């Protein structure tokens, strides 16, 4: 089990080994932080029934929890897109981790633009960066839509990136997640 910290204001996710610590004498919770706290047992219920999510970024679990709740209550469709990078290891050896991560970030930025043109309601918060892979929780979008268009999306998002990180998608719908 890893312990980490998530800034609910800027979304910075830091592991416990890397963060600078100090005493805090007072604090205020943002509305988003209050929402996380209100998720309570619903959050725990979601992760308890899906042990494969135990190692995922906290922000991803929260987004999945919100999407799962909307699906259960209103049948609002959603999908989880797991983005893996086939060539990441080779590129890290050849060009270094910084350039590989920059390529991943640029791919995600480009992909965000592609999705914003194709679908309404795409938010920056829908994209979550992991340690070795990235994720999208797409609210109101069916798994089948992403599967149908994924090759073209990847092609367009990669068109301006110098290093071929080899992105590919694994897409899961609510039936596989809830």
């Amino acid at each position: 089990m890893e312990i980490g910290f998530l800034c609910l204001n800027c979304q910075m996710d830091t592991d416990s080994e890397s963060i600078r610590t100090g005493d805090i004498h007072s604090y205020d919770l943002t509305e988003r932080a209050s929402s996380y706290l209100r998720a309570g047992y619903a959050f725990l219920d979601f992760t308890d029934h899906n042990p494969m999510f135990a190692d995922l970024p906290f922000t991803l679990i929260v987004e999945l929890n919100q999407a799962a709740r909307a699906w259960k209550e209103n049948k609002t469709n959603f999908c989880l897109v797991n983005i893996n990078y086939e060539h990441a290891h080779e590129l890290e050896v050849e060009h270094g981790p910084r350039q590989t991560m920059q390529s991943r970030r640029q791919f995600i930025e480009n992909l965000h633009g592609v999705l914003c043109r194709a679908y309404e309601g795409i938010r920056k918060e829908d994209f979550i960066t992991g340690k070795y892979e990235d994720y999208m929780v797409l609210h109101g979008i069916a798994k089948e839509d992403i599967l149908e268009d994924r090759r073209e999306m990847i092609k367009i998002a990669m068109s301006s990136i110098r290093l071929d990180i080899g992105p590919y998608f694994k897409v899961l719908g609510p039936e596989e997640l809830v």
Side-chain angles (χ1 to χ4, degrees):
M1 174 182 222
E2 287 186 32
I3 296 175
F5 301 92
L6 171 68
C7 176
L8 299 175
N9 188 37
C10 70
Q11 302 304 307
M12 184 179 293
D13 190 0
T14 308
D15 67 80
S16 62
E17 301 286 322
S18 302
I19 196 160
R20 182 181 50 183
T21 61
D23 294 334
I24 297 175
H25 300 285
S26 69
Y27 63 91
D28 290 317
L29 293 177
T30 64
E31 181 56 37
R32 186 170 185 160
S34 296
S35 295
Y36 286 157
L37 291 175
R38 282 192 297 271
Y41 287 110
F43 169 77
L44 294 174
D45 180 59
F46 186 69
T47 55
D48 283 348
H49 289 87
N50 295 286
M52 69 182 196
F53 295 120
D55 295 326
L56 296 178
F58 178 72
T59 51
L60 176 60
I61 298 294
V62 171
E63 283 294 321
L64 283 171
N65 184 58
Q66 291 170 352
R69 186 179 306 124
W71 184 74
K72 285 179 180 177
E73 293 173 1
N74 308 318
K75 292 299 178 199
T76 303
N77 216 342
F78 76 96
C79 65
L80 167 66
V81 181
N82 180 309
I83 307 167
N84 287 282
Y85 301 98
E86 186 176 1
H87 306 141
H89 179 71
E90 294 84 10
L91 291 174
E92 280 190 7
V93 170
E94 189 174 335
H95 298 280
R98 186 177 62 80
Q99 284 190 12
T100 303
M101 183 55 87
Q102 284 176 334
S103 295
R104 278 177 57 187
R105 285 189 187 125
Q106 188 60 55
F107 174 74
I108 293 298
E109 185 68 32
N110 293 354
L111 187 59
H112 178 258
V114 169
L115 286 165
C116 282
R117 289 187 292 278
Y119 302 99
E120 288 186 31
I122 301 294
R123 309 166 305 152
K124 284 279 190 186
E125 295 83 27
D126 297 334
F127 295 80
I128 296 130
T129 301
K131 195 169 193 171
Y132 301 108
E133 51 197 13
D134 299 316
Y135 308 90
M136 297 184 295
V137 179
L138 302 176
H139 305 268
I141 300 173
K143 169 186 175 178
E144 295 75 26
D145 294 335
I146 298 301
L147 286 173
E148 182 178 322
D149 298 333
R150 72 180 182 261
R151 286 183 182 83
E152 188 64 20
M153 288 178 194
I154 290 171
K155 180 180 171 187
I156 293 168
M158 281 298 298
S159 65
S160 66
I161 299 175
R162 181 175 62 89
L163 299 178
D164 179 11
I165 52 179
Y168 62 95
F169 294 172
K170 179 177 182 182
V171 186
L172 301 170
E175 301 82 12
E176 299 149 300
L177 296 167
V178 179

